[in-house]
Amino acid sequence: MTIDELSTDPHPLLARLRATEPVAWLPDLNGWLVTRHDLAMAVMRDPATFTVDDPRFSTGRVIGPSMLSLDGAEHARHRAPFVPPFRPAPVRDRYTPLVARLAGELVDGFPPGEVELRSAYAGPLAVAVVADALGLAGVDVPTVLSWYATFVESVSTVTAGGEPTPAGEEAYAALRKSVAGTLAAGDPRSVLVGSGLTEDEVVSNAAVLMFGGIDTTEGMITNLVRHLLLHGGTPDPDAVEESVRLEPAAAMVDRYATRDVTLAGARIRAGDLVSVSIAGANRDPAVFPDPDRFDPRRPNARQNLAFAQGPHFCIGARLARTEAELAARTLFDRLPGLRLASDDPPRGLVFRKPPALHVRWS
């Protein structure tokens, strides 16, 4: 199994591994791949044995220590200030009206009859919501997007064995300057204000919120609309859950073994990379019968692992679900006869989404 196979159409290969070798050593990953639902949960719920706190963790090398790259008490300290802004009441009262307004404005700006939804809709919506949450002083949405794209490129370079890019360092310095201004201004609408963390820690976690709120949400929206257009259904919470089960926007998460351990017969050594295939776990037939079928009325779709499990469960999961549902509903309500102009299936090793989603309407 190669990286290319895992990036294009991984599901038949993941099914074979899940059935015959659910914890498999993959030379191309230089690590283990976990594909079964129960084993994936076991790894993600055991940070003492399978940690993110490792110097090889590429995102940590680019943005520094954060809730994404720490475990234990330090992880809890970094994470705790950012949990309240994404609880049910704030999502309902602040973000739901914002997402509905932004989605409507984006649709109003479409050219007549046809558009590419990922770049003209899903991406701009995700970026605008993150920009509003961060409330960065003197920074517009295109700037946030440019910083984010630069961070992703730098992390990808590190993952491939290189060093953080100069452009990534420049973007991080610009983010730091903006965060300092935001903290000095004390805008209570910014989730960064009043955290009790140091300025360096706030900057690192601001970058994490960009990672979590942009790429994965863009993927969720794009995948959901594609699934509904291909297979039918209503843009509602059940369809959102089934869509992220069938094609999770974040398809893989990495951990590192802290000690020698045996998992499903695999003898994992301390220090080994252990990658959890969310995509594989989400199609485990032991949990989800007929797992390759999109069924928006699947009764247990919420058992999907698209938002991870354990201490690193996505703090923005509720907001991401809300964005995806409202984004899809706005499209179907406002664009009669919405249909695919062409289909470009999802791809990507870690972040899976269609490269483009061209649609037409009457």
Side-chain angles (χ1 to χ4, degrees):
M1 184 178 290
T2 66
I3 294 294
D4 184 62
E5 289 173 304
L6 284 172
S7 301
T8 51
D9 183 19
H11 299 296
L13 300 168
L14 294 173
R16 189 182 75 217
L17 280 181
R18 192 173 51 235
T20 62
E21 196 177 359
V23 182
W25 178 263
L26 267 61
D28 266 22
L29 289 178
N30 194 31
W32 301 91
L33 187 67
V34 178
T35 52
R36 215 170 70 195
H37 189 278
D38 59 331
L39 300 174
M41 285 201 301
V43 170
M44 290 188 287
R45 289 176 171 177
D46 185 6
T49 305
F50 304 101
T51 185
V52 298
D53 194 351
D54 187 280
R56 292 168 289 176
F57 197 75
S58 54
T59 305
R61 290 183 58 192
V62 173
I63 66 173
S66 70
M67 58 180 156
L68 188 66
S69 58
L70 294 168
D71 271 318
E74 276 297 278
H75 167 258
R77 184 176 68 84
H78 278 248
R79 178 186 172 96
F82 301 104
V83 173
F86 300 108
R87 285 180 174 150
V91 170
R92 180 190 65 237
D93 298 338
R94 172 178 174 180
Y95 293 108
T96 297
L98 173 70
V99 172
R101 176 178 62 81
L102 292 171
E105 291 173 354
L106 287 166
V107 171
D108 288 340
F110 286 172
E114 184 169 347
V115 75
E116 195 286 290
L117 281 178
R118 179 181 159 187
S119 61
Y121 188 65
L125 179 60
V127 175
V129 173
V130 167
D132 184 86
L134 296 179
L136 295 172
V139 177
D140 57 16
V141 170
T143 301
V144 172
L145 181 57
S146 70
W147 288 346
Y148 171 74
T150 305
F151 293 155
V152 169
E153 181 181 358
S154 188
V155 169
S156 298
T157 301
V158 172
T159 302
E163 295 296 320
T165 66
E169 293 173 353
E170 290 175 10
Y172 197 69
L175 174 63
R176 177 185 299 280
K177 182 178 179 180
S178 179
V179 167
T182 301
L183 297 179
D187 181 358
R189 282 182 56 82
S190 170
V191 300
L192 306 178
V193 171
S195 68
L197 302 176
T198 68
E199 183 177 300
D200 283 350
E201 291 167 346
V202 173
V203 175
S204 295
N205 286 292
V208 167
L209 293 172
M210 291 167 66
F211 276 102
I214 294 176
D215 216 314
T216 51
T217 305
E218 177 193 72
M220 279 182 64
I221 295 169
T222 310
N223 288 333
L224 172 61
V225 174
R226 177 178 178 269
H227 287 146
L228 291 172
L229 292 177
L230 282 174
H231 307 296
T234 304
D236 59 20
D238 291 338
V240 172
E241 292 305 316
E242 177 67 350
S243 179
V244 297
R245 182 202 67 81
L246 190 67
E247 199 70 79
M252 186 182 298
V253 296
D254 288 346
R255 300 291 187 264
Y256 296 90
T258 61
R259 60 182 178 85
D260 292 354
V261 62
T262 299
L263 187 67
R267 302 177 69 176
I268 300 169
R269 300 296 184 96
D272 281 356
L273 170 66
V274 180
S275 293
V276 175
S277 174
I278 303 297
N282 274 4
R283 297 199 187 197
D284 189 337
V287 180
F288 306 106
D290 196 6
D292 296 324
R293 182 168 65 93
F294 178 73
D295 177 9
R297 294 297 169 259
R298 186 180 296 274
N300 69 337
R302 277 189 172 266
Q303 289 181 248
N304 74 78
L305 304 181
F307 297 101
Q309 282 283 309
H312 289 276
F313 181 82
C314 175
I315 62 173
R318 187 177 299 273
L319 176 56
R321 288 174 167 127
T322 297
E323 285 185 65
E325 180 187 351
L326 288 178
R329 188 188 306 163
T330 299
L331 290 173
F332 282 86
D333 286 349
R334 297 280 300 276
L335 303 176
L338 187 66
R339 60 195 183 276
L340 287 175
S342 59
D343 186 32
D344 200 352
R347 65 190 67 174
L349 178 65
V350 177
F351 297 114
R352 289 189 58 78
K353 70 194 90 171
L357 190 68
H358 293 275
V359 296
R360 295 176 181 150
W361 57 94
S362 304

